[in-house]
Amino acid sequence: MRRRHALAAAALLVAVAAPVATTAQASPKAQEPRADQAAPAAVSGAGAYDDTYYQGAVGKTGPALKSALHTIVSKQTKISYDAVWNALKVTDEDPANTANVILLYAGRSQSKGSNGGNTGQWNREHVWAKSHGDFGTATGPGTDLHHLRPEDVTVNSIRGNKDFDNGGSAVSGAPGSRTDSDSFEPRAAVKGDVARMILYMAVRYDGGDGFADLEPNERVDNGSAPAIGKLSVLKAWSAGDPPDAFEKRRNQLIFDRYQHNRNPFIDHPEWVEEIW
C-alpha cells in the first residue's frame, strides 16, 4: 500500500509541476512590444519592422522595391539645419563616453561641445555632397540626418564634394582614409555606413518633391550633377562592412526621436543587390 501511495503522490507532483513550467515559458512573451509600438534599439534589424513599417516593400525586387521604399521613407519629419547640431550629439554619441561624438572619417572621439567651423573642431558632413544636386542646406536633403555625420573640420574640407572610390594617398587626421584628385575612400570600419547612406539618399530623393533626382553611377567626376559614384564600389563596401551596433542604434534614434523614418539598407542590407 505504501508503494502505491508513493506512486500516486509522485504522479500528483508531476501534474502540478507541469502548468508551472508552461507558465514560466510563456511569461517572456508578455514583455514583447506590440506591433503599434516603436521597437527598442535592441531589436532593430532585418525583419523587426517587416510586418509594420516595411509591409509594402517585403517581397518586391528591382524598381518595384525601390519605388515602395521611396514611398515608405518619404513619410518623415524634417528638421532645420541648426537643429542638426544637437541631433548629431545624440545620434553619433560615443558609447564609451557620452560626453563625446564619434567622427565619421577620422574615427576620433571628440567632445560634443567642440562643434563649429574652426580647425580642431567638428562640423556637419554631408555624405551625399550637397553640391551634387545643388540642394545646399535646405530643409530636406540638406538636413536629412540619415546622411549627416560629425566630422573633423579639416578632414571634411579634404573630402569636399569628391565622389567615393578606392585608392589615393593617406588622409592626415583620418587614419585608414585615402583620397586623390577626384575621389575619397573612408576608413574600413565605416565603408558600409557610407554606402548605405548614399543609397538611402538615392531612394528617398527621386525628384518628386522639388529636389533633384539623386542617383548613384559609375563616375567619379560628377561635379554638380545630382549623381555620385562609384556604384560598384559602394555595393562592395556595403557587402564587406555589414551594419554594426553603432549604425543600427543610430538608425533607431533617427526613427524614434527625429525624422520617424528609417534607412532600409541598415535593416535589410540585402536590398542593395535587389535594387542595384
Side-chain angles (χ1 to χ4, degrees):
M1 290 291 292
R2 284 195 296 273
R3 186 171 182 275
R4 287 198 299 270
H5 284 309
L7 290 172
L12 180 60
L13 285 171
V14 171
V16 171
V20 174
T22 302
T23 302
Q25 291 170 354
S27 60
K29 294 185 79 67
Q31 305 303 316
E32 293 177 359
R34 299 193 313 270
D36 61 345
Q37 291 179 320
V43 302
S44 174
Y49 289 89
D50 285 2
D51 294 333
T52 52
Y53 188 73
Y54 293 122
Q55 189 174 32
V58 172
K60 292 181 170 65
T61 61
L65 175 59
K66 185 181 180 186
S67 177
L69 290 176
H70 169 73
T71 299
I72 292 167
V73 303
S74 295
K75 298 171 184 175
Q76 70 178 97
T77 298
K78 298 180 179 70
I79 68 173
S80 71
Y81 196 47
D82 283 342
V84 168
W85 285 120
N86 287 330
L88 293 181
K89 294 175 184 179
V90 175
T91 60
D92 291 75
E93 181 179 277
D94 182 351
N97 184 347
T98 58
N100 288 7
V101 292
I102 300 290
L103 308 187
L104 178 64
Y105 308 131
R108 187 171 71 244
S109 178
Q110 184 157 327
S111 169
K112 291 178 178 179
S114 67
N115 60 298
N118 298 321
T119 301
Q121 294 183 313
W122 64 267
N123 59 7
R124 297 159 291 185
E125 154 71 342
H126 290 79
V127 177
W128 185 294
K130 56 184 180 288
S131 63
H132 288 236
D134 195 29
F135 52 75
T137 58
T139 301
T143 65
D144 196 313
L145 290 172
H146 282 297
H147 85 120
L148 282 160
R149 299 291 290 266
E151 188 48 69
D152 175 84
V153 168
T154 300
V155 174
N156 196 348
S157 178
I158 292 171
R159 188 268 157 138
N161 69 346
K162 294 174 183 175
D163 293 83
F164 293 104
D165 196 4
N166 294 313
S169 303
V171 176
S172 177
S177 297
R178 303 169 69 179
T179 191
D180 57 23
S181 62
D182 57 14
S183 70
F184 190 90
E185 177 186 352
R187 60 193 176 98
V190 297
K191 284 182 175 178
D193 307 51
V194 166
R196 287 180 284 273
M197 286 186 277
I198 291 295
L199 298 177
Y200 159 84
M201 292 292 282
V203 165
R204 169 61 185 89
Y205 300 98
D206 69 349
D209 55 2
F211 295 104
D213 181 4
L214 306 183
E215 292 293 341
N217 64 14
E218 281 299 313
R219 299 178 58 176
V220 290
D221 55 355
N222 284 290
S224 62
I228 219 163
K230 288 182 173 179
L231 176 59
S232 58
V233 172
L234 294 169
K235 288 172 63 178
W237 289 356
S238 181
D241 174 35
D244 60 14
F246 187 91
E247 191 179 1
K248 291 176 182 178
R249 176 182 177 274
R250 190 176 195 279
N251 194 32
Q252 193 68 39
L253 286 167
I254 293 172
F255 179 68
D256 288 339
R257 295 196 188 186
Y258 299 103
Q259 297 183 180
H260 312 298
N261 71 340
R262 305 182 68 81
N263 182 332
F265 305 113
I266 296 173
D267 294 327
H268 281 282
E270 73 279 8
W271 280 348
V272 173
E273 284 292 340
E274 294 288 352
I275 294 175
W276 288 283

